[in-house]
Amino acid sequence: MQALTFDVFGTLVDWRGGIARAASRIGAAHGITQDWHAFADAWRAQYQPNLERVRSGALAWTPLDALNRSALDALLPRFGLAASSEAERQELTLAWHRLDPWPDVLPGLARLKRRFILAPLSNGNVRLIVDMAKRAGLPWDVILGAELARAYKPDQAVYRKAAALLDLAPAEIMMVAAHYYDLAAAAGCGFRTCYVRRPQEFGPQGKCDLPQEYALDLVVDDLEALAGKLSC
Amino acid sequence: MQALTFDVFGTLVDWRGGIARAASRIGAAHGITQDWHAFADAWRAQYQPNLERVRSGALAWTPLDALNRSALDALLPRFGLAASSEAERQELTLAWHRLDPWPDVLPGLARLKRRFILAPLSNGNVRLIVDMAKRAGLPWDVILGAELARAYKPDQAVYRKAAALLDLAPAEIMMVAAHYYDLAAAAGCGFRTCYVRRPQEFGPQGKCDLPQEYALDLVVDDLEALAGKLSC
């Protein structure tokens, strides 16, 4: 095995906490008190339906920033923020670029980087992932992902493009994700797979989507555990 | 300005010394003494003609590793290495992944990285650039280049793809290169430009290709000087 590719939202970074924090700042500027975690959940709930419009061909290729922005515009009135300015809407959209990693991520990636090529393989557009990495210190060797294939996971084109750019057979790459559908698609392309349990992704009442029966190479609680299993 | 994109071969790394060093090892294994810098020059002389076959459409998109390999196979008999094994040919082709940076490159990039997004914009394929960066410690934020556009510089598609993936207007990006044709093409796409003098690229008798009259934003002797000019 020569490379590890990582899902990002939920697997590496806490989108729910980061979006709630950004929204609470905008809310405070408007004198509005809300359950901003519910706002984050509502925004996130538009994610898969929006990606599906691209995957189905109903919508031409559109980067995630633009999908997030149109979902935001539709969402703001429900949370009392219909009067948000253009600058505030841009700031909220860019909040997806400024999410914090889970505590194990930086030490885990530092260990894994010694032995493997590390790459994000996210539905986030390249610039989003670059901004996030530069702010948080994520030590990527190369940025891979949906935008390079102009398709969204779990479309197999995304995984295949990553393997082609790495010039590796799929079996030389391990996909690491907290979402079973992502790993099932990667396995379908011949990738090895590692499930990371992130029960907090959707909040305190959240749970993992790992089915009772599964065919995965590894299941771990965090990236330090993954580094240990891979002898890094 | 938000990002700097860099030509790699010659601008950042010493391909001539690195290729000569790798070839001398193979030569020694065969008991052959040669001017291995002449071997490097001869291999490099096939570079533009091979790229031109892709640029002209005579050859379908082919990554640089494959172009380098076919040029190598044609070249080895001239240098007494017709009997080279498959493993030796692969090792020589991969020597392009293991080139050393000029002495100013790592300290210069470290300073520039504090203020700008840094990306290679090379004709080298993604894996080549990843391997080189991992070995030499080049601190890229994102790997851009020919393979993402499936076109070779100075085809404007390469620069345009880079700007699109960075989600930046071309004027927010500065192309840094030791070759005038590269900067002229980048400027034609609206990029800012910085010429780096690398008179040693083609050996002790080499010289820069900067014309007497030019329209460039900056001309510097090395990346530390560039960092100084950009107040990094």
Side-chain angles (χ1 to χ4, degrees):
Chain A
M1 210 168 65
Q2 296 201 53
L4 302 174
T5 56
F6 294 84
D7 176 57
V8 172
F9 301 117
T11 301
L12 300 184
V13 300
D14 172 21
W15 56 264
R16 191 170 187 265
I19 296 302
R21 188 177 61 209
S24 75
R25 280 197 302 270
I26 305 291
H30 288 258
I32 289 170
T33 306
Q34 276 281 3
D35 177 354
W36 298 113
H37 285 98
F39 173 87
D41 292 338
W43 199 355
R44 178 62 170 72
Q46 294 308 305
Y47 177 73
Q48 287 297 348
N50 274 325
L51 299 191
E52 188 53 32
R53 289 168 62 208
V54 174
R55 285 191 292 248
S56 69
L59 180 65
W61 167 255
T62 307
L64 187 62
D65 275 342
L67 296 178
N68 279 344
R69 173 58 193 269
S70 63
L72 175 70
D73 287 339
L75 186 69
L76 287 172
R78 275 175 50 196
F79 286 82
L81 289 173
S84 298
S85 67
E86 172 62 24
E88 287 170 332
R89 289 162 195 251
Q90 286 185 20
E91 184 182 329
L92 275 171
T93 303
L94 290 175
W96 291 90
H97 298 218
R98 296 190 299 261
L99 302 175
D100 291 329
W102 303 111
D104 55 286
V105 168
L106 293 183
L109 291 179
R111 289 169 62 184
L112 293 163
K113 189 176 167 89
R114 290 182 221 137
R115 276 195 53 200
F116 300 103
I117 295 171
L118 304 186
L121 189 56
S122 167
N123 281 332
N125 40 297
V126 168
R127 176 63 183 278
L128 185 163
I129 299 295
V130 168
D131 285 348
M132 178 191 288
K134 221 165 157 66
R135 175 181 173 279
L138 299 163
W140 301 127
D141 291 308
V142 53
I143 308 277
L144 302 173
E147 193 177 11
L148 300 186
R150 296 173 76 86
Y152 280 114
K153 292 188 297 179
D155 189 321
Q156 293 203 339
V158 182
Y159 309 92
R160 293 204 171 110
K161 184 71 173 184
L165 291 172
L166 291 172
D167 197 15
L168 290 174
E172 296 179 287
I173 309 171
M174 176 172 275
M175 182 73 202
V176 181
H179 312 117
Y180 186 73
Y181 81 92
D182 196 350
L183 297 177
C189 296
F191 281 50
R192 299 191 199 200
T193 50
C194 174
Y195 188 91
V196 186
R197 289 193 184 90
R198 295 294 190 196
Q200 303 297 307
E201 176 183 0
F202 291 93
Q205 270 73 52
K207 56 180 186 165
C208 298
D209 72 347
L210 189 64
Q212 287 225 309
E213 298 194 16
Y214 54 80
L216 299 169
D217 294 297
L218 292 174
V219 176
V220 298
D221 284 328
D222 60 35
L223 297 199
E224 296 249 45
L226 174 58
K229 293 215 182 203
L230 296 178
S231 307
C232 293
Chain B
M1 210 166 67
Q2 296 201 54
L4 301 174
T5 55
F6 294 83
D7 176 58
V8 172
F9 301 119
T11 300
L12 300 184
V13 299
D14 172 20
W15 57 264
R16 191 171 185 265
I19 295 303
R21 187 177 61 209
S24 75
R25 279 197 302 268
I26 306 290
H30 287 258
I32 288 169
T33 306
Q34 277 281 3
D35 177 354
W36 299 114
H37 284 99
F39 173 87
D41 292 338
W43 200 355
R44 178 62 170 70
Q46 295 307 307
Y47 177 73
Q48 287 297 346
N50 274 325
L51 299 191
E52 187 54 29
R53 289 167 63 210
V54 174
R55 285 190 293 248
S56 69
L59 181 65
W61 168 255
T62 306
L64 187 62
D65 274 342
L67 295 178
N68 281 343
R69 171 59 192 268
S70 63
L72 174 70
D73 288 338
L75 186 68
L76 287 171
R78 276 174 51 195
F79 286 83
L81 290 173
S84 299
S85 68
E86 174 61 25
E88 288 169 332
R89 288 161 196 252
Q90 286 186 18
E91 184 182 329
L92 275 171
T93 303
L94 290 175
W96 291 91
H97 298 217
R98 296 190 298 261
L99 302 175
D100 290 329
W102 304 111
D104 55 286
V105 168
L106 292 182
L109 291 179
R111 289 168 63 185
L112 293 162
K113 189 175 167 88
R114 290 182 221 137
R115 275 194 55 199
F116 300 103
I117 295 171
L118 304 186
L121 188 57
S122 168
N123 281 332
N125 41 298
V126 168
R127 177 63 184 279
L128 185 164
I129 299 295
V130 168
D131 285 346
M132 178 191 290
K134 223 165 156 66
R135 175 182 173 279
L138 299 163
W140 301 127
D141 291 307
V142 53
I143 308 276
L144 302 174
E147 194 176 12
L148 300 186
R150 295 173 76 86
Y152 280 114
K153 295 189 296 180
D155 189 322
Q156 293 203 339
V158 182
Y159 310 92
R160 293 205 172 108
K161 184 70 173 184
L165 291 171
L166 290 172
D167 197 15
L168 290 174
E172 296 179 286
I173 309 171
M174 176 173 276
M175 180 74 202
V176 181
H179 311 118
Y180 187 72
Y181 80 92
D182 196 352
L183 297 177
C189 296
F191 281 50
R192 299 193 200 198
T193 51
C194 173
Y195 187 92
V196 185
R197 288 193 184 90
R198 295 292 191 198
Q200 304 297 310
E201 176 183 0
F202 291 94
Q205 271 72 52
K207 55 181 186 163
C208 298
D209 72 346
L210 189 64
Q212 287 225 307
E213 298 195 15
Y214 54 80
L216 299 169
D217 293 298
L218 292 174
V219 176
V220 298
D221 285 327
D222 60 35
L223 296 200
E224 295 249 46
L226 174 58
K229 292 216 183 203
L230 296 178
S231 307
C232 293

